[in-house]
Amino acid sequence: MNWENKQHPMLRIVFLPIKWFFNLARNLKGKSSSRRINRMLSGESAHTPVFNRSISETSMDNSSMEDFWCELKNIKENSQNGSDESLLVDVKPVDEGELEAEWLQEAGLSNLISGTQEHDGQALLSTLTRTQAAAVQKRYNTYTHTMRKKNKHSVRDVRDIFGIKESTPTFDTIPVSPLATNGAPISMKKPLRKPVTSNSCTLEKINPAVAEELSFEVSFSETIVPDDKEKQTNQRIKKDDCILPKFIVWKSRFGLTEVEDLSSEDMKKIRYLSLIELTAFYDALGIELKRNRVLRVKGRESGLFGVSLTTLLEIDRKKVPGTKVPLIFQKLLQRLEETGLETEGILRVPGSASRVKSLREEMESKFNDNTFDWKKVRNNDAAGLLKMFIRELPTPLFTMEYLPAFTTLVEKISKIKLQLQALHLLIMLLPDANRDTAKALLHFLKKVVSNEEKNKMSLWNVSMILAPNLFIYKGKSANQEEMKAAASTAHIVRLLIRYQDILWTVPAFLISQVRKMNEAALNNNKKQLTFDKSVRKLLRRKTMERERPERREHCDVPEGVIRVYAPLHSKVSMAIQLNSRTKAKDILARFQCENSHGTSDKSLNQSIYEIGGNIGEHCLDPDTYMLDVYHVNPHAEWILKPKNS
């Protein structure tokens, strides 16, 4: 008998392969039997919403998804006793013109909308690469087209706003090119060195001989090749951690720069450029960069759980100045690191729901008074409270706006390297509080994975547990699509944990663009000042007063010599003759040698800062070649001081 031809739905269920079972049950709409099957499989009652597993099941086998669905069940149980109802997020669909207007504002190009001659916007445009300029033009064209339809009046052409000649029809013809770290254009005719890839399963001690090399010298979007544009449909994600290749970052003569090494003003510009670069990157791959439009976010104004990170930090900084991660979050991580890293099933095995609820209520009333007794918090309870804190943030840790972009990078991009590059730019987009908190969390998760032999929590297990807490938002905007992306979100968490050291590094090409942006803004300001006679007279008088001392200083400091200031040392300054081999760590060693007698503890753990010129403030990598930085920024000052924690 040919059972394939039988039309009865329940007979087809019996004889179809089990991997198609969930999809079939989903498609049997209107039949009560299929609804009961879905509820039974998801462990839900008849009165709770069904979490559709279809996409996840096509990507992963059932056994590997068990942790995810168990965690989802625990989240649902805890949310019934939680305060999710107090959080409100409205997401409203809008037309393309409004979305592009918001994009231009977020990218620091609001002057394209207002039509004003804002120098920051002009400076930003002057630094763009070919693909970045094309991305800006595409969004601006959409915006202007929509506005003309709506308002029926002329919208200023971008060529008029920036004084581009009539013969220049598009952004593409503006003379822009990828920037090297030294500020000079890079020829795209030179191919990048071909990296050697490896699929070794070892998580620690990456061998450079078998690792794929990453370079941050050239814009990611400029390196996209036609082969990268392959279409991905129902991509199968493997749970084996050994499929993740090893990457090492090629360190140029300028060293590596982490996010905390730059000033807040320069990091603001990094975010502008990262959004433009991410958009150009997705455009080059033929992928739509999806974003949520959040109109209103309401969280609690006091307490610990359900309170925004910025509000918590405002309160905490009154007690501990300079705090970057909320104190309650730090304390939960500390508790788990001290006693829970070797606990079997940590993060996976839930604590008692009633006990966690009781502990939460007690924390809310006693934590800020330092009267809460942490000794009675069990490891599984602490893990539950940690996940609850993340889950109940008014906006997700990785922001509501770009949650779709995170899942898209897995669903539409197959190559791990390209996924990592997109993820890298998304991390650069995070607000300071979100990024610092995420960094603390991922550092802890890395420790959990490193104790896998004792706690039985592999990288994939940890990723499956954290994924629904990080990427399934519990506000009113939560929808079925977020529930479906189980395997995709788990893979994102896996990438975040595995490659976290790379993700905190600011790409060198973005720093080069910030330098160019600062230089352009400075030149624009100088041009503006020449039209103000009173300012001109003031500058002339000040110049005459300082002319002779400046000449003596320049005579004392010849070409290739820098004066380094060290306020915490007994010898507060020193002239250093630079050569092609002088590194930042060599200057630090020289100061320590010169000040070996009476050296304070504060002066031992110091770094060299490049301040002023074409950068706000930049903490230099110890392996930075100083002469190269000097040539890029000859007007900078050089100061030794403790690195910002």
Side-chain angles (χ1 to χ4, degrees):
M1 180 180 294
N2 186 0
W3 294 101
E4 295 289 335
N5 295 326
K6 293 294 181 181
Q7 299 301 314
H8 193 281
M10 295 311 297
L11 288 178
R12 289 181 60 81
I13 288 176
V14 172
F15 293 98
L16 279 174
I18 189 65
K19 67 179 181 179
W20 298 109
F21 184 81
F22 296 98
N23 283 338
L24 184 62
R26 177 176 65 92
N27 291 330
L28 295 178
K29 295 180 180 179
K31 295 189 179 291
S32 60
S33 58
S34 66
R35 289 195 294 270
R36 287 195 300 271
I37 290 168
N38 271 329
R39 293 192 188 104
M40 179 178 63
L41 291 173
S42 57
E44 302 195 6
S45 68
H47 302 289
T48 55
V50 175
F51 298 143
N52 192 321
R53 304 186 184 189
S54 58
I55 292 180
S56 299
E57 296 298 344
T58 60
S59 302
M60 297 294 304
D61 58 89
N62 294 338
S63 61
S64 67
M65 297 298 297
E66 183 179 352
D67 287 342
F68 184 93
W69 300 116
C70 288
E71 182 66 16
L72 204 58
K73 183 179 178 182
N74 293 331
I75 290 174
K76 186 178 62 176
E77 290 175 353
N78 288 326
S79 66
Q80 292 173 356
N81 299 321
S83 60
D84 289 338
E85 296 290 332
S86 64
L87 308 180
L88 178 61
V89 175
D90 293 333
V91 181
K92 181 182 178 181
V94 291
D95 60 49
E96 279 191 317
E98 292 180 1
L99 285 175
E100 304 305 9
E102 290 182 2
W103 184 92
L104 290 168
Q105 290 175 338
E106 290 179 22
L109 296 170
S110 57
N111 56 322
L112 291 179
I113 301 172
S114 63
T116 58
Q117 295 286 338
E118 295 180 10
H119 296 312
D120 286 346
Q122 295 183 45
L124 178 56
L125 283 175
S126 69
T127 71
L128 300 183
T129 66
R130 175 183 55 82
T131 53
Q132 291 172 353
V136 173
Q137 180 187 339
K138 180 179 178 181
R139 272 76 199 167
Y140 182 75
N141 287 346
T142 302
Y143 165 73
T144 54
H145 179 71
T146 306
M147 290 299 103
R148 287 192 180 100
K149 277 186 173 181
K150 275 187 173 183
N151 304 325
K152 296 182 180 180
H153 63 73
S154 61
V155 179
R156 293 185 64 190
D157 192 283
V158 68
R159 294 170 294 184
D160 299 330
I161 295 174
F162 292 98
I164 302 172
K165 294 182 179 179
E166 193 65 31
S167 59
T168 307
T170 66
F171 276 120
D172 288 341
T173 57
I174 297 175
V176 291
S177 60
L179 299 170
T181 313
N182 61 5
I186 291 179
S187 173
M188 292 307 295
K189 294 181 180 179
K190 292 183 178 181
L192 295 175
R193 285 184 290 174
K194 293 183 178 180
V196 180
T197 60
S198 170
N199 286 329
S200 172
C201 287
T202 307
L203 272 172
E204 308 295 333
K205 299 180 180 179
I206 295 177
N207 182 356
V210 295
E212 184 171 354
E213 187 179 84
L214 294 177
S215 174
F216 294 158
E217 303 301 300
V218 182
S219 161
F220 298 157
S221 60
E222 292 286 343
T223 62
I224 299 297
V225 295
D227 290 344
D228 295 330
K229 298 182 181 181
E230 56 182 331
K231 287 188 176 181
Q232 300 301 319
T233 56
N234 293 330
Q235 181 185 199
R236 185 174 182 82
I237 298 172
K238 298 179 180 179
K239 71 173 183 176
D240 297 329
D241 296 332
C242 65
I243 68 163
L244 298 180
K246 295 176 181 178
F247 293 107
I248 56 171
V249 178
W250 179 69
K251 184 181 285 191
S252 72
R253 291 178 64 86
F254 294 85
L256 299 177
T257 301
E258 295 188 356
V259 287
E260 62 265 23
D261 294 338
L262 294 175
S263 66
S264 58
E265 281 301 312
D266 285 338
M267 276 306 301
K268 183 179 179 181
K269 294 165 187 172
I270 290 290
R271 289 190 192 95
Y272 291 155
L273 290 162
S274 295
L275 177 55
I276 296 173
E277 171 64 14
L278 178 67
T279 307
F281 185 79
Y282 273 55
D283 285 352
L285 291 171
I287 301 171
E288 180 186 0
L289 177 59
K290 296 181 179 180
R291 294 160 51 237
N292 288 326
R293 189 190 189 214
V294 181
L295 298 180
R296 186 166 47 137
V297 178
K298 183 181 179 181
R300 298 175 61 198
E301 296 180 357
S302 61
L304 301 175
F305 295 82
V307 182
S308 70
L309 293 175
T310 52
T311 301
L312 287 172
L313 288 173
E314 286 177 5
I315 298 171
D316 291 344
R317 284 168 182 164
K318 295 177 182 178
K319 296 187 291 184
V320 183
T323 299
K324 293 185 176 182
V325 178
L327 295 179
I328 178 61
F329 195 74
Q330 291 186 45
K331 190 62 181 179
L332 287 169
L333 293 177
Q334 180 184 347
R335 176 68 179 173
L336 286 167
E337 288 183 10
E338 288 175 352
T339 62
L341 289 178
E342 297 182 358
T343 301
E344 185 171 339
I346 192 65
L347 296 175
R348 181 178 62 216
V349 179
S352 166
S354 59
R355 191 169 58 246
V356 169
K357 180 184 177 182
S358 175
L359 288 170
R360 168 186 168 149
E361 292 173 352
E362 190 174 350
M363 275 185 185
E364 293 277 10
S365 61
K366 295 183 178 180
F367 178 79
N368 289 326
D369 297 333
N370 296 321
T371 57
F372 181 77
D373 183 10
W374 285 93
K375 293 181 180 179
K376 61 182 179 182
V377 180
R378 302 176 186 178
N379 293 330
N380 292 332
D381 296 338
L385 289 165
L386 178 74
K387 292 184 290 184
M388 182 181 291
F389 177 89
I390 297 169
R391 208 165 52 240
E392 294 190 6
L393 287 171
T395 58
L397 187 59
F398 292 107
T399 72
M400 189 66 196
E401 289 83 353
Y402 291 99
L403 280 187
F406 278 93
T407 55
T408 298
L409 74 88
V410 176
E411 294 169 355
K412 302 294 184 181
I413 304 174
S414 62
K415 296 181 180 178
I416 299 292
K417 181 177 180 179
L418 296 178
Q419 292 177 358
L420 181 58
Q421 288 175 326
L423 189 60
H424 197 167
L425 294 170
L426 284 165
I427 292 299
M428 291 295 108
L429 277 173
L430 292 179
D432 291 340
N434 296 61
R435 188 187 60 243
D436 293 335
T437 304
K439 186 176 182 179
L441 173 64
L442 294 175
H443 184 66
F444 162 72
L445 297 179
K446 186 177 181 180
K447 291 182 179 180
V448 173
V449 175
S450 66
N451 285 273
E452 178 184 355
E453 290 186 3
K454 294 182 178 179
N455 60 34
K456 311 301 181 185
M457 293 296 291
S458 67
L459 177 59
W460 182 252
N461 293 143
V462 173
S463 301
M464 279 302 228
I465 296 300
L466 265 294
N469 292 279
L470 288 168
F471 290 104
I472 296 182
Y473 187 56
K474 301 301 291 180
K476 287 189 176 181
S477 63
N479 54 48
Q480 287 287 331
E481 292 302 318
E482 292 171 336
M483 303 297 184
K484 294 176 184 178
S488 298
T489 54
H491 181 62
I492 294 168
V493 177
R494 179 165 59 167
L495 295 179
L496 288 166
I497 298 173
R498 178 65 179 268
Y499 301 120
Q500 58 183 281
D501 293 337
I502 294 174
L503 298 175
W504 311 127
T505 305
V506 183
F509 69 87
L510 292 179
I511 299 175
S512 296
Q513 289 183 276
V514 168
R515 290 186 186 276
K516 287 291 184 181
M517 189 175 172
N518 289 338
E519 289 173 357
L522 185 62
N523 291 334
N524 287 333
N525 290 335
K526 287 181 179 178
K527 290 178 182 178
Q528 185 180 15
L529 289 176
T530 59
F531 295 99
D532 191 329
K533 292 183 179 180
S534 61
V535 174
R536 222 172 31 217
K537 289 180 181 179
L538 178 62
L539 289 176
R540 188 183 301 116
R541 184 169 69 251
K542 293 295 182 182
T543 301
M544 292 176 64
E545 292 174 357
R546 298 178 181 178
E547 185 175 5
R548 290 182 181 178
E550 285 183 359
R551 286 178 179 174
R552 286 198 300 270
E553 184 179 349
H554 285 302
C555 293
D556 293 340
V557 185
E559 178 71 18
V561 175
I562 62 173
R563 180 164 292 279
V564 182
Y565 296 91
L568 295 180
H569 287 263
S570 55
K571 188 171 184 178
V572 296
S573 72
M574 189 185 302
I576 306 289
Q577 174 67 60
L578 303 178
N579 58 47
S580 61
R581 299 182 301 277
T582 306
K583 293 184 177 182
K585 62 184 179 183
D586 298 330
I587 297 177
L588 291 170
R590 182 168 174 180
F591 264 91
Q592 290 176 1
C593 181
E594 292 281 344
N595 295 273
S596 57
H597 301 291
T599 301
S600 64
D601 293 336
K602 290 184 178 180
S603 64
L604 291 176
N605 187 22
Q606 291 190 331
S607 300
I608 296 182
Y609 280 79
E610 168 198 7
I611 299 176
N614 57 28
I615 203 78
E617 183 174 291
H618 181 200
C619 180
L620 298 180
D621 186 322
D623 291 324
T624 299
Y625 286 88
M626 294 298 298
L627 190 60
D628 294 68
V629 182
Y630 169 79
H631 286 153
V632 169
N633 193 8
H635 301 296
E637 294 183 350
W638 314 93
I639 298 178
L640 262 65
K641 63 176 185 175
K643 185 173 181 178
N644 297 329
S645 59

